[in-house]
Amino acid sequence: METAMDGGFARRARQFLPKSRGDKVAFAFLVVIIHLIFYFEQFRVLPEIYHEPCLASYIHTAFMVFVYINTVGNLFMMMNVDTTTGSHVLPSILKPGWHFCASCEANAPPRSFHCWECGTCILKRIHHCTFTGNCAAWANQRYYIVFLLYMSIGAVYTNIMNFDYVWDVMGGLTVTSILTMFAPLVMWIAGQAKAHTFFVSIMSMVCLIGGAFSLVLFYYHSKLTLLNRTVFEFNKRISDYDLGWQQNLEQAFGTRWQLVWLFPLLPSPLLGNGLEFPVNSDVSEAVKDM
Ligand SMILES: [Zn+2]
Ligand SMILES: [Zn+2]
């Protein structure tokens, strides 16, 4: 029997939280790292650069809070939006371009695919993201791309901010500092690095590797968005839905596509219903000629 708690928040949380063990571990890692980096920059690095609070340090803090809110806010919204075909009444007759999903025992519209991690068909499924434990898709593409944008901005910012501080803590470019950077645990256990140096080297490596990963992902998904393609369509070189970059951005981010980067709760209604998508003139003319 379901309790009131189970019927409400807990059931909803079960829907959007990662389901597989691998996704749960990756998601927990992401959440811990985001908060650890925020703490590290705000309470370790910033006070080393500005010893006293001043206008510049307040501007840095305001910027970090802005990036943090947009990162976490878009991450939460990306996971919280229903991306499944289950949110629609699906036709019992197989329409042209649709396919039958044996797992869901239902007809699925064009561009939708069954996700084995999410356990259901996803509307305009772009790909399954292990770190968020959810699919990036028609309904949440806006939040996913803006989340990647702020992860990338945060990554570039933290690596620039860290440079002088990490250089000082590590004691410049020496054999010991290079070994501590690449094998901090070994150097700490061997007594060659202090606990503080160990922590700083771990944080700077996380910022470097995480930053490079975020930038690559953001570049790849920006390309997909500007071309209006899913990962499957990109790999198969399908360009039927490419309407030009401006319309493609409107398709992905909604009618207020220019403003979505400002705040995750800013409304930007999506075009269409996720079941049908406009195709470009090349495809519509080819259909006419048939
Ligand atoms: Zn399915
Ligand atoms: Zn998925």
Side-chain angles (χ1 to χ4, degrees):
M1 207 171 89
E2 283 191 343
T3 62
M5 168 78 182
D6 206 32
F9 178 75
R11 189 171 55 191
R12 184 138 177 74
R14 265 203 305 275
Q15 278 171 2
F16 73 79
L17 283 173
K19 283 130 201 110
S20 75
R21 187 179 293 173
D23 283 9
K24 282 177 187 166
V25 171
F27 175 67
F29 177 76
L30 176 73
V31 171
V32 169
I33 284 301
I34 288 173
H35 290 89
L36 209 54
I37 290 175
F38 184 80
Y39 161 81
F40 181 65
E41 298 303 324
Q42 179 64 41
F43 299 108
R44 291 294 180 102
V45 178
L46 206 57
E48 285 297 322
I49 299 171
Y50 302 101
H51 299 293
E52 295 290 327
C54 59
L55 181 63
S57 71
Y58 291 135
I59 291 171
H60 275 287
T61 300
F63 177 75
M64 275 192 257
V65 169
F66 177 72
V67 172
Y68 172 81
I69 287 172
N70 271 289
T71 305
V72 175
N74 280 290
L75 172 64
F76 175 76
M77 291 299 289
M78 186 264 178
M79 296 169 70
N80 195 30
V81 170
D82 187 355
T83 56
T84 67
T85 53
S87 54
H88 289 73
V89 177
L90 301 168
S92 53
I93 300 165
L94 202 60
K95 291 177 163 185
W98 287 54
H99 59 276
F100 180 73
C101 174
S103 298
C104 298
E105 297 182 338
N107 290 325
R111 308 186 88 185
S112 78
F113 281 99
H114 189 84
C115 176
W116 295 104
E117 298 288 339
C118 297
T120 185
C121 275
I122 306 289
L123 292 170
K124 189 191 163 188
R125 179 175 181 265
I126 295 161
H127 88 136
H128 183 86
C129 171
T130 300
F131 284 95
T132 60
N134 279 270
C135 274
W138 174 74
N140 65 358
Q141 187 175 5
R142 157 198 172 172
Y143 303 113
Y144 184 61
I145 302 295
V146 180
F147 162 69
L148 290 179
L149 166 72
Y150 280 100
M151 283 288 284
S152 303
I153 290 172
V156 172
Y157 175 81
T158 50
N159 281 297
I160 293 171
M161 290 284 283
N162 288 353
F163 191 82
D164 283 344
Y165 175 65
V166 175
W167 186 269
D168 277 355
V169 171
M170 304 301 281
L173 198 63
T174 63
V175 176
T176 312
S177 68
I178 293 168
L179 286 173
T180 307
M181 202 70 187
F182 289 98
L185 190 61
V186 175
M187 294 298 276
W188 182 44
I189 291 168
Q192 298 297 310
K194 291 178 190 162
H196 179 61
T197 316
F198 167 73
F199 175 69
V200 170
S201 59
I202 291 275
M203 288 309 297
S204 57
M205 280 312 273
V206 165
C207 289
L208 271 174
I209 296 168
F213 190 65
S214 303
L215 283 166
V216 168
L217 265 182
F218 177 62
Y219 170 75
Y220 177 63
H221 280 282
S222 299
K223 203 167 159 180
L224 291 183
T225 307
L226 288 167
L227 294 169
N228 194 5
R229 292 182 192 183
T230 63
V231 169
F232 174 81
E233 290 160 0
F234 187 76
N235 292 338
K236 297 281 177 190
R237 297 172 193 261
I238 297 168
S239 57
D240 296 4
Y241 304 99
D242 184 357
L243 308 170
W245 70 270
Q246 259 176 307
Q247 281 196 62
N248 291 346
L249 287 176
E250 198 177 17
Q251 288 284 322
F253 298 156
T255 51
R256 298 169 84 190
W257 61 270
Q258 301 98 328
L259 303 174
V260 293
W261 62 275
L262 280 171
F263 191 58
L265 297 180
L266 205 80
S268 180
L270 288 171
L271 302 169
N273 55 7
L275 302 177
E276 289 162 347
F277 299 92
V279 288
N280 58 41
S281 54
D282 293 350
V283 181
S284 45
E285 274 163 30
V287 171
K288 260 191 241 163
D289 292 344
M290 277 166 69

